[in-house]
Amino acid sequence: MKLYAHPFSSYCQKVLIALYENNIPFELRMLAPDHPEVSAEHESLWPLKRMPLLLDAGRTVVEASIIVEYLDLHHPGPVRMVPEDPSAALDVRMMDRIFDNYIMTPMQKLVGDAIRAAEHRDRHGVGEARQLLDTAYRWLDSAMAGREWAAGGAFSLADCAAGPALFYADWAHPISEVFTNVRAYRQRLLARPSFARAIDEARPYRPFFPLGAPDRD
């Protein structure tokens, strides 16, 4: 099984967390400028050239959430990423979409804008992204009251999404100290061995973070 990915990518980390949680063996195919042959393989499998991509026994699987669910179905381990109970599974999928759409997406807006030349930057869009992040932090702080993990008591797909989303979002637009539940949850994610491993593997690439990586985490 091959994973076409880069360890500093938030969506790639989402899949790496799931792989590490259940100790699933795989080969990392590094997508980076100094590995053009891997990029060519990746494009031949997925012309849209988005990462991550999983190649398993000739089957191509794309989109991070779908890859995590695929692993749950075809390479199950002790940590179940999506519960068997349909109602509980819906809660997990809902939280997964919230982290991707309302935390990861505005965070990437801030990062993407920082990469642009000054004359092409989008002040209005950046302001909207920061406002959306503050709203999402506020909602999440209420949702996480009394919870250990995103969808309740068990670590799941939702937490695979939450880890990199909150990790990078706090770099790009710091989580206010008033959101104590979100900050505590982020610390629990950082302490989770699977996510801690993903973070450590990405440390060499921190100087490339466009907004400047803080001297923490």
Side-chain angles (χ1 to χ4, degrees):
M1 188 158 59
K2 298 178 181 180
L3 180 70
Y4 291 79
H6 191 285
F8 200 53
S9 160
S10 53
Y11 282 113
C12 294
Q13 288 180 3
K14 181 175 177 176
V15 172
L16 288 168
I17 294 166
L19 288 164
Y20 296 156
E21 278 288 327
N22 285 314
N23 197 29
I24 301 170
F26 70 98
E27 175 190 348
L28 176 64
R29 300 293 287 159
M30 176 75 83
L31 290 170
D34 54 345
H35 295 281
E37 74 288 354
V38 179
S39 296
E41 290 174 21
H42 181 232
E43 184 176 3
S44 71
L45 293 165
W46 186 226
L48 293 181
K49 297 188 287 187
R50 295 296 187 266
M51 58 182 174
L53 178 148
L54 188 75
L55 183 64
D56 183 28
R59 181 171 182 176
T60 297
V61 188
V62 299
E63 295 297 316
S65 296
I66 302 303
I67 294 173
V68 174
E69 290 216 38
Y70 175 89
L71 293 171
D72 218 30
L73 287 171
H74 298 282
H75 300 274
V79 179
R80 186 68 188 255
M81 292 298 158
V82 178
E84 291 185 9
D85 176 72
S87 180
L90 195 63
D91 290 339
V92 166
R93 293 189 178 103
M94 181 190 75
M95 292 300 291
D96 171 67
R97 303 322 306 139
I98 287 171
F99 286 114
D100 278 7
N101 292 329
Y102 306 122
I103 295 180
M104 194 92 81
T105 295
M107 177 276 294
Q108 291 186 327
K109 171 68 176 179
L110 302 182
V111 172
D113 193 71
I115 297 172
R116 293 177 177 176
E119 63 270 23
H120 297 305
R121 289 186 179 167
D122 180 8
R123 290 180 58 189
H124 179 74
V126 164
E128 287 184 328
R130 292 189 183 281
Q131 186 176 31
L132 179 55
L133 280 168
D134 280 334
T135 303
Y137 293 160
R138 186 176 301 107
W139 179 88
L140 184 61
D141 197 66
S142 177
M144 289 303 300
R147 292 187 185 182
E148 181 179 12
W149 302 112
F155 192 91
S156 70
L157 163 66
D159 303 290
C160 294
L166 291 174
F167 181 74
Y168 288 116
D170 190 47
W171 285 10
H173 185 71
I175 301 166
S176 170
E177 292 185 3
V178 303
F179 300 134
T180 56
N181 293 325
V182 179
R183 291 171 67 87
Y185 174 49
R186 185 177 183 274
Q187 288 304 119
R188 289 195 295 278
L189 289 164
L190 289 170
R192 186 82 177 189
S194 58
F195 188 39
R197 178 178 172 182
I199 291 171
D200 285 340
E201 291 174 345
R203 285 185 190 279
Y205 307 100
R206 289 190 179 195
F208 298 110
F209 193 68
L211 297 172
D215 187 20
R216 55 182 170 86
D217 298 328

